[in-house]
């Protein structure tokens, strides 16, 4: 029996899909893709006879039914998710239901929007002396978060943060971040709308002006919000390339001995 391939479409630009993901699309007999979240240009990799379904119009059981039927007919199936399937991809529930039906699955990773946004900003989340931790999270909305993962609690660490699925709640987001004690009104922020898509828009601001700036820019959805001192300011150089720092492959400048 064939395997269902869960494929990360990448953050938006069609050429940011992996080579493996592209090949799986080319070989697919059936593609179920995540509606408005996936760039439709990626479907150009599909063969002319491929069946294509938009899961935006389907509930979970309908998606499973389509994939199960295709697999039992001996067809190759791709479930195409936005970004990387492991982040807000809702793949676990699909894999579990397919495995209950005796259908194997595998996952092809993709470029997440938090990576696409950082690339667009030429930013590095893990700057020495600034932050060595990246928190990927979301503000609680219609979907709850575990009690220990409330945004205010996570923000208290002051680490680099990438916040998904929260652009429509900018005022509450700003308030919780400021109340956390981990950041202040001058903490740098960036908002990237549809990172790596042709219509990408990016703004830089401070936490104290975050909600106001987002409102002025008309950004209310499909955006990722980055927060932290990694976005600007002083940092330390990496030890990896420091001439005074020895590694397995080279000696520190002036160092002698075997």
């Amino acid at each position: 029996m064939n395997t269902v391939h869960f494929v990360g479409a990448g953050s938006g630009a069609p050429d940011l899909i992996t080579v493996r993901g592209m090949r799986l699309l080319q070989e697919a007999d059936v593609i179920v893709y995540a509606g408005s979240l996936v760039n439709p240009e990626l479907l150009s990799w599909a063969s002319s006879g491929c069946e294509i379904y938009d899961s935006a119009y389907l509930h979970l059981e309908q998606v499973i039914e389509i994939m199960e039927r295709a697999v039992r007919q001996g067809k190759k199936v791709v479930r195409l998710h936005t970004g990387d399937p492991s982040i807000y991809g809702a793949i676990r529930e699909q894999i579990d239901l397919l495995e209950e039906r005796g259908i194997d699955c595998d996952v092809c990773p993709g470029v997440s929007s938090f990576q696409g946004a950082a690339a667009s900003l030429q930013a590095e989340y893990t700057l020495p002396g600034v932050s060595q931790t990246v928190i990927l999270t979301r503000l609680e909305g219609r979907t709850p978060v575990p009690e220990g993962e409330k945004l205010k609690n996570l923000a208290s660490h002051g680490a680099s943060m990438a916040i998904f699925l929260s652009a429509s709640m900018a005022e509450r987001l700003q308030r919780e971040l400021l109340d956390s004690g981990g950041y202040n009104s001058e903490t740098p922020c960036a908002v990237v709308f549809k990172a790596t898509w042709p219509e990408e828009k990016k703004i830089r601001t401070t936490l104290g002006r975050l909600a106001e700036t987002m409102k002025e820019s008309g950004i209310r959805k499909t955006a990722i919000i980055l927060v932290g001192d990694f976005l600007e300011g002083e940092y330390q150089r990496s030890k990896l390339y420091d001439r005074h720092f020895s590694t397995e492959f080279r000696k520190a400048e002036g160092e002698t001995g075997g």
Side-chain angles (χ1 to χ4, degrees), residues 54-232:
D54 181 352
S55 63
Y57 299 95
L58 306 171
H59 57 65
L60 175 61
E61 286 71 23
Q62 289 173 319
V63 170
I64 297 299
E65 181 184 344
I66 289 168
M67 294 194 292
E68 180 183 12
R69 182 174 64 247
V71 168
R72 298 201 187 285
Q73 291 173 348
K75 297 177 179 179
K76 295 182 180 179
V77 180
V78 166
R79 177 67 166 113
L80 187 62
H81 278 272
T82 184
D84 181 86
S86 69
I87 302 174
Y88 303 113
I91 63 169
R92 173 67 183 273
E93 60 197 38
Q94 297 174 75
I95 291 171
D96 285 349
L97 288 173
L98 288 168
E99 289 186 345
E100 286 176 8
R101 291 158 171 77
I103 298 171
D104 291 333
C105 306
D106 61 28
V107 180
C108 176
V111 175
S112 171
S113 60
F114 88 92
Q115 297 165 315
S120 179
L121 295 164
Q122 299 183 20
E124 179 182 347
Y125 290 109
T126 53
L127 283 176
V130 177
S131 176
Q132 292 291 285
T133 300
V134 186
I135 297 175
L136 310 181
T137 191
R138 58 183 293 276
L139 182 62
E140 185 172 48
R142 294 201 314 179
T143 301
V145 301
E147 186 61 36
E149 295 182 11
K150 301 292 187 182
L151 186 64
K152 184 177 177 180
N153 296 336
L154 296 178
S156 66
H157 297 285
S160 302
M161 185 173 280
I163 305 169
F164 292 73
L165 305 169
S166 304
S168 65
M169 302 175 282
E171 291 185 3
R172 182 156 66 90
L173 173 70
Q174 176 181 311
R175 185 166 60 251
E176 290 203 24
L177 292 174
L178 286 171
D179 288 347
S180 70
Y183 308 116
N184 59 55
S185 61
E186 296 303 313
T187 298
C189 296
V191 183
V192 184
F193 169 78
K194 301 196 79 168
T196 77
W197 290 66
E199 58 266 46
E200 175 190 275
K201 181 190 294 185
K202 54 191 174 185
I203 58 174
R204 290 180 180 266
T205 185
T206 61
L207 183 52
R209 296 195 69 248
L210 177 62
E212 178 185 0
T213 307
M214 289 180 66
K215 184 176 181 180
E216 291 171 352
S217 301
I219 297 176
R220 296 191 66 258
K221 63 178 183 177
T222 326
I224 189 163
I225 300 164
L226 310 184
V227 183
D229 290 330
F230 72 95
L231 287 165
E232 61 180 58

